[in-house]
Amino acid sequence: MSTETAAALPPSRARRGPPVELVVNNILLLALLLLITYFSVESSVFLTVSNFKVILTNYAAIGVVAAVMALLVIAGQVDMSVGSNIGFSGMITAIAMTSWGMPAGAGVLIGIGTGALVGLVNGILCAYLRFSPIIVTLGMLSVLRGATLLTNSIEVAGLGDTFFWIGNGNLLGIPVLLWVVGAVFLLSAGFLSMTVWGRYVFAIGVNPQAAFLAALPVRPVVLGLYVATGTAAGLAGVLLVARLDGASPGSLGLMMELQALTIVLLGGVAFAGGRGRIFGVLTAWVFLGVLDNGLVLLAVPPFVQLVASGLALVFAASLDALGNFLGPRLEQRRRVSEQLARLSS
């Protein structure tokens, strides 16, 4: 569009260009379509309803965490302890139902509450005591992993039919896990786009000091996001244990913090905060599930799958860098268009 044409438009119709999140998300969507096409050609069972149910249910637990952790990263924070929190909360849930004789409902509440408590500790240290989020949560990662091994040294299995139904049953023909992860994604998207607190999250991520000077509740919001992330990790631990009908203290939740961070960054959320969309995180969640499932169907060796996961994280970092490069330029273009529109009015 020429300068004269842009100047002739009213402010509401002045060309602003696509937001940077949309550009990044479109790149990821294209990559996802190419990946689905390739695996469909290479494997006859990939492009089936049953296989996609397997993909989504196997990745439901990490999807729950990523959907909420995205809000925390948009606010300029990070929680690297979610993987260990998943393992610890899941192990506590399994022990509560086997050793303590708790019913399934109580076990679910105990697991979720355990994760929320861990999030509360992280939030107090990071939001109110101003400790470094990376250092605090990496320390919590080690603490929780050690605590998980201390709770029980053997695998716990056989948690009952009701609990097994949560991880493997269907509700109205749709797996229960998909109902849960879908609800979490919808709640996160609604919170971010339809509430004033969602706008606070963006403002804090862009400039926490300016948000504080503007009298925004910076510390309570950050604390709440850490508690929400911990709660999501506790719920993910419950779902993972229900899916497996057991808990192994040495492997439960292992490396899932990197999976969650990869999904968040792949989804276009800026690691420095202030930018991101839940739809992008949803797309990235499907992308990572399709990648791992396709590699398994093609009988790719496990070490190659690990390399692919690492490359996905590098791809996520490249999209984050692309967003940081395009962001200021698209914003400058938007401001120029608005100035031209004002001059023409």
Side-chain angles (χ1 to χ4, degrees):
M1 181 181 296
S2 64
T3 304
E4 291 81 3
T5 305
L9 293 173
S12 61
R13 297 182 59 192
R15 182 180 178 89
R16 295 188 175 189
V20 63
E21 297 95 333
L22 187 59
V23 175
V24 173
N25 290 346
N26 285 341
I27 294 174
L28 182 61
L29 275 172
L30 178 60
L32 176 59
L33 291 175
L34 292 175
L35 203 62
I36 291 176
T37 302
Y38 174 76
F39 287 138
S40 301
V41 172
E42 295 295 325
S43 174
S44 60
V45 300
F46 176 80
L47 202 60
T48 60
V49 174
S50 60
N51 186 55
F52 269 85
K53 279 187 178 181
V54 170
I55 293 174
L56 298 181
T57 50
N58 283 347
Y59 276 80
I62 196 63
V64 167
V65 176
V68 181
M69 186 176 171
L71 306 178
L72 184 67
V73 178
I74 291 174
Q77 304 288 316
V78 69
D79 187 351
M80 298 301 297
S81 67
V82 289
S84 294
N85 196 355
I86 290 171
F88 182 67
S89 300
M91 199 68 204
I92 292 296
T93 300
I95 292 174
M97 297 177 61
T98 54
S99 299
W100 304 344
M102 295 287 184
V108 170
L109 293 178
I110 289 174
I112 295 174
T114 300
L117 182 61
V118 173
L120 178 63
V121 174
N122 285 336
I124 291 174
L125 293 176
C126 297
Y128 284 90
L129 298 183
R130 305 288 186 88
F131 290 176
S132 169
I134 292 181
I135 295 176
V136 167
T137 57
L138 282 177
M140 185 63 74
L141 179 151
S142 298
V143 170
L144 292 178
R145 183 56 60 185
T148 302
L149 294 172
L150 285 174
T151 55
N152 203 342
S153 58
I154 60 175
E155 182 176 348
V156 179
L159 304 179
D161 294 338
T162 301
F163 198 71
F164 182 81
W165 176 82
I166 295 175
N168 299 274
N170 295 313
L171 180 63
L172 301 178
I174 299 175
V176 176
L177 291 179
L178 294 190
W179 285 106
V180 175
V181 71
V184 173
F185 269 109
L186 285 176
L187 287 174
S188 295
F191 172 83
L192 198 61
S193 61
M194 300 175 63
T195 69
V196 66
W197 295 94
R199 292 193 290 273
Y200 290 168
V201 170
F202 280 108
I204 293 169
V206 171
N207 192 329
Q209 185 62 29
F212 178 78
L213 294 176
L216 298 185
V218 175
R219 293 179 181 177
V221 169
V222 173
L223 175 63
L225 292 176
Y226 271 106
V227 173
T229 303
T231 302
L235 176 58
V238 171
L239 297 179
L240 191 59
V241 170
R243 178 69 173 166
L244 301 173
D245 194 30
S248 176
S251 60
L252 190 65
L254 194 64
M255 301 295 289
M256 291 186 77
E257 59 279 342
L258 289 182
Q259 282 185 315
L261 186 60
T262 300
I263 292 171
V264 170
L265 296 181
L266 267 177
V269 177
F271 188 70
R275 187 187 78 239
R277 290 185 178 183
I278 298 301
F279 176 75
V281 178
L282 176 64
T283 306
W285 170 60
V286 176
F287 178 89
L288 204 63
V290 166
L291 176 63
D292 284 357
N293 177 264
L295 293 177
V296 170
L297 290 178
L298 297 182
V300 174
F303 66 87
V304 178
Q305 297 178 30
L306 188 61
V307 171
S309 298
L311 291 177
L313 184 57
V314 174
F315 182 38
S318 67
L319 289 181
D320 184 45
L322 177 63
N324 292 333
F325 175 79
L326 291 178
R329 288 157 180 79
L330 292 177
E331 178 65 18
Q332 183 181 16
R333 182 180 179 182
R334 182 187 66 83
R335 290 178 180 177
V336 170
S337 297
E338 290 180 346
Q339 289 173 0
L340 290 173
R342 283 196 296 267
L343 290 174
S344 65
S345 60

